[in-house]
């Protein structure tokens, strides 16, 4: 496993798109953040499926 890129709580969102996983160390907590890129169509389909499953 490659080392995770480190970010801080004040990191701008657009910088997160350079990679798909990061570690963010705060004063008391540590967070592992991951982002999955999907198409608009796939996102909308997932939203519809999630909404339908709640009914």
């Amino acid at each position: 496993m490659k080392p995770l890129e480190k970010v801080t709580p004040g990191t701008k969102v657009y910088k997160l798109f350079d990679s798909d996983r990061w570690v963010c160390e705060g004063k008391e907590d540590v967070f592992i953040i991951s982002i999955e890129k999907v198409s608009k169509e796939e996102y909308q389909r997932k939203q519809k499926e999630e909404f339908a499953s709640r009914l």
Side-chain angles (χ1 to χ4, degrees), residues 20-40:
D20 60 346
R21 288 186 64 150
W22 307 266
V23 63
C24 182
E25 296 182 29
K27 291 181 180 179
E28 297 180 17
D29 298 313
V30 176
F31 300 91
I32 296 177
I33 303 167
S34 63
I35 292 181
E36 176 185 356
K37 182 178 180 179
V38 296
S39 67
K40 282 186 178 184

Side-chain angles (χ1 to χ4, degrees), residues 10-18 22 35:
T11 299
K12 301 291 182 191
V13 165
Y14 66 86
K15 290 190 176 197
L16 298 178
F17 299 121
D18 293 339
W22 307 266
I35 292 181

